[in-house]
Amino acid sequence: MEQPAPTRARRRLVQDLAIPLALVVGTLLLYARVANHSFLHWDDQDYVSENPHVLQGLSLRAVAWAFTTTWAGNWHPLTWLSHLLDVQLFGPSAGAHHLVNAALHALNALLLYRALSRLTGAAGPSALVAALFAAHPLNVESVAWVAERKTLLSALFWFATLWAYARYVERPGGRRYLAVAALFALSLLAKPMMVTGPLLLLLLDAWPLRRPERAGRLLAEKLPLLLLSAASSAVTVLAARGSRALAGYAALGLGARAGNAVLSYAFYLWKAVWPSGLAAYYPHPGSPPAGAAVACAAALLAVTAAACGRAARSRAPWFTTGWLWFAGSLVPMSGLVQAGSQARADHYAYVPLIGIFVIAAWGGRALAARRPAAAPLLAGAAACALVLLTSISWRQVGLWIDQETLFRHALAVTGENARAHELLGLELRRQGRAEEALAELREAARSGPNEPIGWYNLGEQALEMGRLEEAEAALRTALRLDPGRARAWQALGLAEQGAGRLDAAVADLREGARLEPGSAQAWTALAIACQRAGRSDEAEAAFRAAVRASPDDLAARRNLGLFLDLRGRDGR
């Protein structure tokens, strides 16, 4: 029976105005206090606060840099353009950059609702999925960390891709397909996390779109998008290799990486339901317990088999699409290809968890349809879940206010965590709390004895405090683990120089300058050591190399001038 016009109007008002307004306002209220948060010295310095290119603001030169650089081990020009625009509009204000992240998350929740309701024609479940997405604590990291702007932007254009794809399916045409491809390309230009996107569109073809075309034709339709994914993947690997982002834990065998990956799937599923003990950094177990990994793998395979079975595809297609969305979109971030030393990260679940939310929302709808009497209870349970998730997220947002708070919490919930000790120690060092910093950095080296960066930071801190023997021992350990670490050679040279071993200092500083020839600081340190050792010709050559490395560096030019003036007076 057709609904009366006033009823249709009220429903349209709710769907087109009330739900979007509630999503946007609710999300902004949840994240409003990020305006008081500071930049972290954990990737934020690479992306904004200490990036000399970004801090210059938007310009043609900066745009060219954004499209050609692999700074921070990634090629994501759209993300760089976003940070450049922020600096142009707001300067280096941390609060403004955080608020832009919050606004993007609110926009993502809105776009997700619009895309799902257009794909499914079901506003209620779509609104619940978008609300869960907006409020879930696992998503706090993506919003409260400025360096994760790339995740927010990639998701934004992916949700826009979904909306454009719904329009294309309604009325196929070249222009509409071009819009889909363009939006998908923008998603990849922000971050390559959606390389599985074309396969997710195939899931949507089955449900909720129920497209009647043959599978081969639908796959052929996705070929241009698959080519975009392949190109993005290739560029990502090249950029990561160039920055050594795949070093270290990438040397783990396939078995260890696969074991950690299946445990990560279990972790995200559990935290989706019970999001307690979340941390900014989860240490990698190396080789995870074989029994736990095998049990998780068996459970995941069983659920996947059930989701792909005929019964699920016919009676609960939302379960098939939701589960395969979760399982498939998480593959690039699962750790099978290890980048960095973390076991997993909350922001990896930003898009994949939508599949679990779809199962919850449409599963509840199906249950209410079978048992109408349970509908009020299900609605109440959904409301309670949203309130609980929002309250947990509110607390989680507060933990990201500064680096000390964040990593003290990480240590409290993860236990043995070398990276958390290290990042806490570096923050204490920046605050001038030298003894506390040294204690944390010692603990970082103790709990991560095979991590060269931990030993290097300990050596740097000990050197700064004049503890030359401890500094030298730590730096030699760092170089034994990673002989190519230029800054460790430079610091070791300074320690040798402080101990009066000038010939050894010159040798170490020369190696540091060789490994980092573009550093005026490295050449200057070598020049000073040579000067003190009485090697005037080598000192002059090093001072000149510092000027060549950084022609605009006034200090390097002044140092060379002073040396030449002194050498002229001394007659040497």
Side-chain angles (χ1 to χ4, degrees), residues 424-511:
L424 175 57
L426 292 175
E427 177 60 22
L428 295 171
R429 179 184 181 183
R430 279 185 288 276
Q431 295 178 22
R433 295 153 64 180
E435 291 292 343
E436 294 177 77
L438 186 65
E440 291 296 335
L441 293 171
R442 282 171 176 165
E443 190 60 26
R446 183 201 65 78
S447 52
N450 296 318
E451 284 295 299
I453 185 65
W455 289 105
Y456 164 71
N457 284 318
L458 174 59
E460 279 272 319
Q461 180 63 31
L463 177 62
E464 186 178 285
M465 296 172 70
R467 303 189 181 191
L468 299 182
E469 289 186 10
E470 182 175 7
E472 185 177 342
L475 292 165
R476 289 193 184 281
T477 302
L479 289 168
R480 177 175 56 80
L481 294 168
D482 182 8
R485 190 169 291 273
R487 299 295 174 89
W489 283 109
Q490 295 161 27
L492 179 59
L494 295 177
E496 297 269 23
Q497 182 175 284
R501 297 190 292 273
L502 294 179
D503 288 340
V506 168
D508 293 335
L509 289 166
R510 184 182 294 117
E511 181 65 9

Coordinates of all heavy atoms in Angstrom, one line a residue, residues 424-511:
L424 N 58.1 7.5 24.3 CA 57.9 8.2 25.6 C 59.3 8.9 26.0 O 59.3 10.0 26.4 CB 57.4 7.3 26.7 CG 57.3 7.9 28.1 CD1 56.4 9.1 28.1 CD2 56.8 6.8 29.1
G425 N 60.4 8.1 25.8 CA 61.7 8.6 26.2 C 62.0 9.8 25.3 O 62.6 10.8 25.8
L426 N 61.7 9.8 24.0 CA 62.0 10.9 23.2 C 61.2 12.1 23.5 O 61.7 13.3 23.5 CB 61.8 10.5 21.7 CG 62.8 9.5 21.1 CD1 62.3 9.1 19.7 CD2 64.2 10.0 21.1
E427 N 60.0 11.9 23.9 CA 59.2 13.1 24.4 C 59.7 13.7 25.6 O 59.8 14.9 25.8 CB 57.7 12.6 24.5 CG 56.8 13.7 25.1 CD 56.7 14.9 24.1 OE1 57.0 14.7 22.9 OE2 56.3 15.9 24.6
L428 N 60.1 12.8 26.6 CA 60.7 13.4 27.8 C 62.0 14.1 27.5 O 62.3 15.1 28.2 CB 60.9 12.2 28.8 CG 59.7 11.5 29.3 CD1 60.0 10.2 30.1 CD2 58.8 12.4 30.2
R429 N 62.7 13.6 26.6 CA 63.9 14.3 26.2 C 63.6 15.7 25.6 O 64.3 16.7 26.0 CB 64.7 13.5 25.1 CG 66.0 14.1 24.6 CD 66.6 13.2 23.5 NE 67.8 13.8 23.0 CZ 68.5 13.2 22.0 NH1 68.1 12.1 21.5 NH2 69.6 13.8 21.6
R430 N 62.6 15.8 24.8 CA 62.2 17.1 24.3 C 61.8 18.1 25.4 O 61.9 19.3 25.2 CB 61.1 16.9 23.2 CG 61.7 16.5 21.8 CD 60.6 16.5 20.8 NE 59.7 15.4 21.0 CZ 59.9 14.2 20.5 NH1 61.0 13.9 19.9 NH2 59.0 13.2 20.8
Q431 N 61.2 17.5 26.4 CA 60.8 18.3 27.5 C 61.9 18.7 28.5 O 61.7 19.4 29.5 CB 59.7 17.6 28.3 CG 58.4 17.4 27.6 CD 57.4 16.6 28.4 OE1 57.4 16.6 29.6 NE2 56.4 16.0 27.7
G432 N 63.1 18.2 28.2 CA 64.2 18.5 29.1 C 64.3 17.6 30.3 O 65.1 17.9 31.2
R433 N 63.6 16.6 30.4 CA 63.6 15.7 31.6 C 64.6 14.5 31.3 O 64.2 13.4 31.0 CB 62.2 15.2 31.8 CG 61.3 16.3 32.2 CD 59.8 16.1 31.9 NE 59.2 14.9 32.6 CZ 58.0 14.5 32.5 NH1 57.1 15.2 31.6 NH2 57.5 13.5 33.2
A434 N 65.9 14.9 31.3 CA 66.9 14.0 30.8 C 67.0 12.7 31.5 O 67.1 11.6 30.9 CB 68.3 14.7 30.9
E435 N 67.0 12.7 32.9 CA 67.1 11.4 33.6 C 65.9 10.5 33.3 O 66.1 9.3 33.1 CB 67.2 11.7 35.1 CG 68.5 12.3 35.5 CD 69.7 11.4 35.3 OE1 69.6 10.2 35.2 OE2 70.9 11.9 35.3
E436 N 64.7 11.0 33.3 CA 63.5 10.2 33.0 C 63.6 9.7 31.5 O 63.3 8.5 31.3 CB 62.3 11.0 33.2 CG 62.0 11.4 34.6 CD 60.7 12.3 34.6 OE1 59.6 11.8 34.5 OE2 60.9 13.5 34.7
A437 N 64.1 10.5 30.6 CA 64.2 10.1 29.2 C 65.2 9.0 29.1 O 65.0 8.0 28.4 CB 64.7 11.3 28.4
L438 N 66.4 9.1 29.8 CA 67.4 8.1 29.8 C 66.9 6.7 30.3 O 67.1 5.7 29.7 CB 68.6 8.5 30.6 CG 69.9 7.6 30.5 CD1 70.4 7.5 29.1 CD2 70.9 8.0 31.5
A439 N 66.1 6.8 31.4 CA 65.5 5.6 31.9 C 64.6 4.9 30.9 O 64.6 3.6 30.8 CB 64.8 5.9 33.2
E440 N 63.8 5.6 30.3 CA 62.8 5.1 29.3 C 63.6 4.5 28.1 O 63.2 3.4 27.6 CB 61.8 6.1 28.8 CG 60.8 6.5 29.9 CD 59.9 5.4 30.3 OE1 59.7 4.5 29.5 OE2 59.4 5.5 31.4
L441 N 64.6 5.2 27.6 CA 65.4 4.7 26.5 C 66.2 3.5 26.8 O 66.4 2.6 26.0 CB 66.2 5.9 25.9 CG 65.4 7.0 25.3 CD1 66.3 8.2 25.0 CD2 64.7 6.6 24.1
R442 N 66.7 3.4 28.0 CA 67.4 2.2 28.5 C 66.4 1.0 28.4 O 66.7 -0.1 28.0 CB 67.9 2.4 29.9 CG 69.2 3.2 30.0 CD 69.5 3.4 31.4 NE 70.8 4.1 31.6 CZ 71.2 4.7 32.7 NH1 70.4 4.7 33.8 NH2 72.4 5.3 32.8
E443 N 65.2 1.3 28.9 CA 64.1 0.2 28.9 C 63.8 -0.2 27.5 O 63.5 -1.3 27.2 CB 62.9 0.7 29.7 CG 61.9 -0.4 29.9 CD 62.4 -1.5 30.8 OE1 63.4 -1.3 31.5 OE2 61.9 -2.7 30.6
A444 N 63.7 0.8 26.6 CA 63.4 0.5 25.2 C 64.5 -0.4 24.6 O 64.2 -1.4 23.9 CB 63.4 1.8 24.4
A445 N 65.8 -0.1 24.9 CA 66.9 -0.9 24.3 C 66.9 -2.3 25.0 O 67.1 -3.3 24.3 CB 68.2 -0.3 24.6
R446 N 66.5 -2.4 26.3 CA 66.5 -3.7 26.9 C 65.4 -4.6 26.4 O 65.6 -5.8 26.1 CB 66.2 -3.5 28.4 CG 66.2 -4.8 29.2 CD 65.5 -4.7 30.6 NE 64.1 -4.4 30.4 CZ 63.2 -5.3 30.1 NH1 63.6 -6.6 29.9 NH2 61.9 -5.0 30.0
S447 N 64.2 -4.0 26.2 CA 63.0 -4.8 25.7 C 63.0 -5.0 24.2 O 62.3 -5.9 23.7 CB 61.7 -4.2 26.2 OG 61.6 -2.8 25.8
G448 N 63.8 -4.3 23.5 CA 63.9 -4.5 22.0 C 65.4 -4.6 21.6 O 65.9 -3.7 20.9
P449 N 66.1 -5.6 22.1 CA 67.6 -5.6 21.9 C 68.0 -5.7 20.4 O 69.2 -5.5 20.1 CB 68.0 -6.9 22.7 CG 66.7 -7.7 22.7 CD 65.6 -6.8 22.8
N450 N 67.1 -6.1 19.5 CA 67.5 -6.3 18.1 C 67.0 -5.1 17.3 O 67.1 -5.1 16.0 CB 66.9 -7.5 17.6 CG 67.5 -8.8 18.2 OD1 68.7 -8.8 18.5 ND2 66.6 -9.7 18.5
E451 N 66.5 -4.0 17.9 CA 66.1 -2.8 17.2 C 67.2 -1.7 17.2 O 67.4 -1.1 18.3 CB 64.8 -2.3 17.9 CG 63.5 -3.1 17.6 CD 63.2 -3.0 16.1 OE1 62.9 -1.9 15.6 OE2 63.2 -4.1 15.5
P452 N 67.8 -1.5 16.1 CA 68.9 -0.5 16.1 C 68.5 0.9 16.5 O 69.2 1.7 17.1 CB 69.4 -0.6 14.6 CG 68.3 -1.2 13.8 CD 67.6 -2.1 14.8
I453 N 67.2 1.3 16.1 CA 66.8 2.6 16.4 C 66.7 2.9 17.9 O 67.0 4.0 18.4 CB 65.4 2.9 15.8 CG1 65.0 4.4 16.0 CG2 64.3 2.0 16.3 CD1 65.9 5.4 15.3
G454 N 66.4 1.9 18.7 CA 66.3 2.0 20.2 C 67.7 2.3 20.7 O 67.9 3.1 21.6
W455 N 68.7 1.5 20.3 CA 70.1 1.7 20.7 C 70.6 3.0 20.3 O 71.3 3.7 21.0 CB 71.0 0.6 20.2 CG 70.7 -0.8 20.9 CD1 70.1 -1.8 20.3 CD2 71.1 -1.1 22.2 NE1 70.0 -2.9 21.2 CE2 70.6 -2.5 22.4 CE3 71.8 -0.5 23.2 CZ2 70.8 -3.2 23.6 CZ3 72.0 -1.2 24.4 CH2 71.5 -2.5 24.6
Y456 N 70.3 3.4 19.1 CA 70.7 4.8 18.6 C 70.2 5.9 19.5 O 70.9 6.8 19.9 CB 70.3 5.0 17.1 CG 70.4 6.4 16.7 CD1 71.6 7.0 16.5 CD2 69.2 7.1 16.5 CE1 71.7 8.3 16.1 CE2 69.3 8.5 16.1 CZ 70.5 9.1 15.9 OH 70.6 10.4 15.5
N457 N 68.9 5.8 19.8 CA 68.3 6.9 20.6 C 68.9 6.9 22.0 O 69.1 8.0 22.6 CB 66.8 6.7 20.7 CG 66.1 7.2 19.4 OD1 66.5 8.2 18.8 ND2 65.1 6.4 18.9
L458 N 69.1 5.7 22.6 CA 69.8 5.6 23.9 C 71.2 6.3 23.8 O 71.6 7.1 24.7 CB 69.9 4.2 24.3 CG 70.7 3.9 25.6 CD1 70.1 4.7 26.8 CD2 70.8 2.4 25.9
G459 N 71.9 6.0 22.7 CA 73.3 6.6 22.6 C 73.2 8.1 22.4 O 74.0 8.8 23.0
E460 N 72.3 8.6 21.7 CA 72.1 10.0 21.5 C 71.8 10.7 22.9 O 72.4 11.7 23.2 CB 71.0 10.3 20.5 CG 71.3 10.2 19.1 CD 71.9 11.5 18.6 OE1 71.4 12.6 18.9 OE2 72.9 11.4 17.8
Q461 N 70.9 10.1 23.7 CA 70.6 10.7 24.9 C 71.8 10.6 25.9 O 72.1 11.6 26.6 CB 69.4 9.9 25.6 CG 68.9 10.5 26.9 CD 68.4 11.9 26.9 OE1 67.9 12.3 25.9 NE2 68.6 12.6 27.9
A462 N 72.5 9.5 26.0 CA 73.6 9.4 26.8 C 74.7 10.4 26.4 O 75.4 11.0 27.2 CB 74.2 8.0 26.8
L463 N 74.9 10.6 25.1 CA 75.9 11.5 24.6 C 75.5 12.9 25.0 O 76.4 13.7 25.5 CB 76.0 11.4 23.1 CG 76.9 12.4 22.3 CD1 78.3 12.2 22.8 CD2 76.7 12.2 20.8
E464 N 74.3 13.3 24.9 CA 73.8 14.6 25.3 C 74.0 14.9 26.7 O 74.3 16.0 27.2 CB 72.3 14.7 24.9 CG 71.7 16.1 25.1 CD 70.3 16.2 24.7 OE1 70.0 16.2 23.5 OE2 69.4 16.2 25.6
M465 N 74.0 13.8 27.6 CA 74.2 14.0 29.0 C 75.6 13.8 29.4 O 76.0 13.9 30.6 CB 73.3 12.9 29.7 CG 71.8 13.1 29.5 SD 70.8 11.8 30.2 CE 71.1 12.1 32.0
G466 N 76.5 13.6 28.5 CA 77.9 13.5 28.8 C 78.4 12.2 29.3 O 79.5 12.0 29.7
R467 N 77.5 11.2 29.1 CA 77.9 9.8 29.6 C 78.5 9.1 28.4 O 77.8 8.3 27.7 CB 76.6 9.1 30.1 CG 76.0 9.9 31.2 CD 74.9 9.1 31.9 NE 74.3 9.9 33.0 CZ 73.5 9.5 33.9 NH1 73.1 8.2 33.9 NH2 73.0 10.3 34.9
L468 N 79.7 9.4 28.1 CA 80.4 9.0 26.9 C 80.5 7.5 26.7 O 80.3 6.9 25.6 CB 81.7 9.6 26.7 CG 81.7 11.2 26.7 CD1 83.1 11.7 26.5 CD2 80.7 11.7 25.6
E469 N 80.9 6.8 27.8 CA 81.0 5.3 27.7 C 79.7 4.6 27.3 O 79.7 3.7 26.5 CB 81.6 4.8 29.0 CG 83.0 5.1 29.3 CD 83.6 4.5 30.5 OE1 82.9 3.5 31.0 OE2 84.7 4.8 31.0
E470 N 78.6 5.0 28.0 CA 77.3 4.4 27.7 C 76.9 4.8 26.3 O 76.3 3.9 25.6 CB 76.3 4.9 28.7 CG 74.9 4.3 28.5 CD 73.9 4.6 29.6 OE1 74.2 5.5 30.4 OE2 72.8 4.0 29.6
A471 N 77.2 6.0 25.9 CA 76.8 6.4 24.6 C 77.5 5.6 23.5 O 76.9 5.1 22.6 CB 77.1 7.9 24.4
E472 N 78.8 5.4 23.7 CA 79.6 4.7 22.7 C 79.2 3.2 22.7 O 79.0 2.7 21.5 CB 81.1 4.7 23.1 CG 82.0 4.1 22.1 CD 83.5 4.2 22.5 OE1 83.8 5.1 23.3 OE2 84.3 3.4 21.9
A473 N 78.9 2.6 23.8 CA 78.4 1.2 23.8 C 77.1 1.1 23.1 O 76.9 0.1 22.3 CB 78.3 0.7 25.2
A474 N 76.2 2.0 23.3 CA 74.9 1.9 22.7 C 75.0 2.1 21.2 O 74.4 1.4 20.4 CB 73.9 2.9 23.3
L475 N 75.8 3.1 20.8 CA 75.9 3.4 19.4 C 76.6 2.3 18.6 O 76.3 2.0 17.5 CB 76.6 4.7 19.2 CG 75.9 6.0 19.7 CD1 76.8 7.2 19.8 CD2 74.7 6.3 18.7
R476 N 77.6 1.7 19.2 CA 78.2 0.5 18.6 C 77.3 -0.6 18.4 O 77.3 -1.3 17.4 CB 79.5 0.1 19.4 CG 80.6 1.1 19.3 CD 81.9 0.5 19.8 NE 83.0 1.5 19.8 CZ 83.7 1.9 18.7 NH1 83.4 1.4 17.5 NH2 84.6 2.9 18.8
T477 N 76.4 -0.8 19.3 CA 75.4 -1.9 19.2 C 74.4 -1.5 18.1 O 74.1 -2.4 17.2 CB 74.6 -2.0 20.5 OG1 75.5 -2.3 21.6 CG2 73.6 -3.1 20.4
A478 N 74.0 -0.3 18.0 CA 73.1 0.2 16.9 C 73.8 -0.1 15.5 O 73.2 -0.6 14.6 CB 72.8 1.6 17.0
L479 N 75.1 0.2 15.4 CA 75.8 0.0 14.1 C 76.1 -1.4 13.8 O 76.1 -1.8 12.7 CB 77.1 0.8 14.2 CG 76.9 2.3 14.1 CD1 78.2 3.1 14.4 CD2 76.3 2.7 12.7
R480 N 76.2 -2.3 14.8 CA 76.3 -3.7 14.6 C 75.1 -4.2 14.0 O 75.1 -5.1 13.1 CB 76.7 -4.4 15.9 CG 76.7 -5.9 15.8 CD 77.2 -6.6 17.1 NE 76.3 -6.3 18.2 CZ 75.1 -6.8 18.4 NH1 74.6 -7.7 17.6 NH2 74.4 -6.5 19.4
L481 N 73.9 -3.7 14.5 CA 72.6 -4.2 13.9 C 72.3 -3.6 12.6 O 71.6 -4.2 11.8 CB 71.5 -3.9 15.0 CG 71.6 -4.6 16.3 CD1 70.7 -4.0 17.3 CD2 71.3 -6.1 16.1
D482 N 72.8 -2.3 12.4 CA 72.4 -1.6 11.1 C 73.6 -0.7 10.8 O 73.7 0.5 11.1 CB 71.2 -0.8 11.3 CG 70.8 0.0 10.1 OD1 71.4 -0.3 9.0 OD2 69.9 0.8 10.1
P483 N 74.6 -1.3 10.1 CA 75.8 -0.5 9.7 C 75.6 0.7 8.8 O 76.4 1.6 8.7 CB 76.7 -1.5 9.0 CG 76.2 -2.9 9.4 CD 74.7 -2.7 9.6
G484 N 74.4 0.7 8.2 CA 74.1 1.8 7.3 C 73.4 3.0 7.9 O 73.0 3.9 7.2
R485 N 73.4 3.1 9.2 CA 72.7 4.2 9.9 C 73.7 5.4 10.1 O 74.5 5.4 11.0 CB 72.2 3.7 11.3 CG 71.3 4.7 12.0 CD 70.6 4.1 13.2 NE 69.6 3.1 12.7 CZ 68.3 3.4 12.4 NH1 67.9 4.6 12.4 NH2 67.5 2.4 12.0
A486 N 73.5 6.4 9.2 CA 74.5 7.5 9.1 C 74.5 8.3 10.4 O 75.6 8.6 10.9 CB 74.1 8.4 8.0
R487 N 73.4 8.5 11.0 CA 73.4 9.4 12.2 C 74.1 8.7 13.4 O 74.6 9.3 14.3 CB 71.9 9.7 12.6 CG 71.2 10.5 11.5 CD 71.8 11.9 11.3 NE 71.2 12.6 10.2 CZ 70.1 13.4 10.4 NH1 69.5 13.5 11.5 NH2 69.6 14.0 9.3
A488 N 74.0 7.3 13.4 CA 74.7 6.6 14.5 C 76.2 6.8 14.3 O 76.9 6.9 15.3 CB 74.3 5.2 14.5
W489 N 76.7 6.7 13.1 CA 78.2 7.0 12.9 C 78.6 8.4 13.3 O 79.6 8.6 13.9 CB 78.5 6.8 11.4 CG 78.6 5.4 11.0 CD1 77.8 4.7 10.2 CD2 79.7 4.4 11.3 NE1 78.2 3.4 10.0 CE2 79.3 3.2 10.7 CE3 80.8 4.5 12.1 CZ2 80.1 2.1 10.8 CZ3 81.6 3.4 12.2 CH2 81.3 2.2 11.6
Q490 N 77.7 9.3 13.0 CA 78.0 10.7 13.4 C 78.0 10.9 14.9 O 78.9 11.5 15.5 CB 77.0 11.6 12.8 CG 77.0 11.7 11.2 CD 75.8 12.2 10.6 OE1 75.0 13.0 11.2 NE2 75.5 11.8 9.4
A491 N 77.0 10.3 15.6 CA 77.0 10.4 17.0 C 78.2 9.7 17.7 O 78.8 10.2 18.6 CB 75.7 9.8 17.6
L492 N 78.5 8.5 17.1 CA 79.7 7.8 17.6 C 81.0 8.6 17.5 O 81.8 8.7 18.4 CB 79.9 6.4 16.9 CG 81.0 5.6 17.4 CD1 81.0 5.2 18.8 CD2 81.1 4.3 16.5
G493 N 81.1 9.3 16.4 CA 82.2 10.2 16.1 C 82.3 11.3 17.2 O 83.4 11.6 17.7
L494 N 81.2 11.8 17.5 CA 81.1 12.9 18.5 C 81.5 12.3 19.9 O 82.2 13.0 20.7 CB 79.8 13.5 18.6 CG 79.3 14.3 17.3 CD1 77.9 14.8 17.5 CD2 80.3 15.5 17.1
A495 N 81.1 11.1 20.2 CA 81.5 10.5 21.5 C 83.0 10.2 21.5 O 83.6 10.5 22.5 CB 80.7 9.2 21.7
E496 N 83.5 9.7 20.4 CA 85.0 9.5 20.3 C 85.7 10.8 20.5 O 86.8 10.9 21.2 CB 85.3 8.9 19.0 CG 84.7 7.5 18.7 CD 85.7 6.4 19.2 OE1 86.5 6.7 20.1 OE2 85.5 5.3 18.7
Q497 N 85.2 11.9 19.9 CA 85.8 13.2 20.0 C 85.8 13.7 21.4 O 86.8 14.2 21.9 CB 85.1 14.1 19.0 CG 85.7 15.5 19.0 CD 85.0 16.4 18.0 OE1 85.3 16.3 16.8 NE2 84.1 17.3 18.4
G498 N 84.7 13.5 22.1 CA 84.6 13.9 23.5 C 85.5 13.2 24.4 O 86.0 13.7 25.4
A499 N 85.8 11.9 24.0 CA 86.8 11.1 24.8 C 88.2 11.4 24.4 O 89.1 10.8 25.0 CB 86.5 9.7 24.6
G500 N 88.4 12.3 23.4 CA 89.8 12.7 23.1 C 90.4 11.8 22.0 O 91.6 11.9 21.7
R501 N 89.7 10.8 21.5 CA 90.2 9.9 20.4 C 89.9 10.5 19.0 O 88.9 10.1 18.4 CB 89.6 8.5 20.6 CG 90.0 7.9 21.9 CD 89.6 6.4 22.0 NE 88.1 6.2 22.0 CZ 87.4 6.2 23.1 NH1 87.9 6.4 24.3 NH2 86.1 6.1 23.0
L502 N 90.7 11.5 18.7 CA 90.4 12.3 17.5 C 90.5 11.5 16.2 O 89.7 11.7 15.3 CB 91.3 13.6 17.5 CG 91.0 14.5 18.6 CD1 92.0 15.7 18.5 CD2 89.6 15.0 18.6
D503 N 91.5 10.7 16.1 CA 91.6 9.9 14.8 C 90.4 9.0 14.6 O 89.9 8.9 13.5 CB 92.9 9.1 14.8 CG 94.2 10.0 14.7 OD1 94.0 11.1 14.2 OD2 95.3 9.5 15.0
A504 N 90.0 8.3 15.7 CA 88.8 7.5 15.6 C 87.6 8.3 15.3 O 86.7 7.9 14.5 CB 88.6 6.7 16.9
A505 N 87.5 9.5 15.9 CA 86.3 10.4 15.6 C 86.3 10.8 14.2 O 85.2 10.7 13.6 CB 86.4 11.6 16.5
V506 N 87.4 11.1 13.6 CA 87.4 11.5 12.2 C 87.0 10.4 11.3 O 86.2 10.5 10.4 CB 88.9 12.0 11.8 CG1 89.0 12.1 10.3 CG2 89.2 13.3 12.4
A507 N 87.4 9.1 11.6 CA 87.0 8.0 10.8 C 85.5 7.7 10.9 O 84.9 7.5 9.9 CB 87.8 6.8 11.3
D508 N 85.0 7.8 12.1 CA 83.5 7.6 12.3 C 82.7 8.7 11.6 O 81.7 8.4 10.9 CB 83.2 7.6 13.7 CG 83.8 6.4 14.4 OD1 84.1 5.4 13.8 OD2 84.0 6.4 15.7
L509 N 83.1 10.0 11.7 CA 82.4 11.1 11.1 C 82.5 11.1 9.6 O 81.6 11.4 8.9 CB 82.9 12.4 11.7 CG 82.5 12.6 13.2 CD1 83.3 13.8 13.8 CD2 81.0 12.9 13.3
R510 N 83.6 10.6 9.1 CA 83.8 10.5 7.7 C 82.8 9.4 7.1 O 82.2 9.7 6.1 CB 85.2 10.1 7.3 CG 85.5 10.0 5.8 CD 86.9 9.6 5.4 NE 87.8 10.6 5.9 CZ 88.8 10.4 6.8 NH1 88.9 9.1 7.4 NH2 89.6 11.3 7.2
E511 N 82.6 8.3 7.8 CA 81.6 7.3 7.4 C 80.2 7.9 7.5 O 79.4 7.6 6.6 CB 81.8 6.1 8.3 CG 80.8 4.9 7.9 CD 81.1 4.4 6.5 OE1 82.1 4.7 5.9 OE2 80.3 3.6 6.1

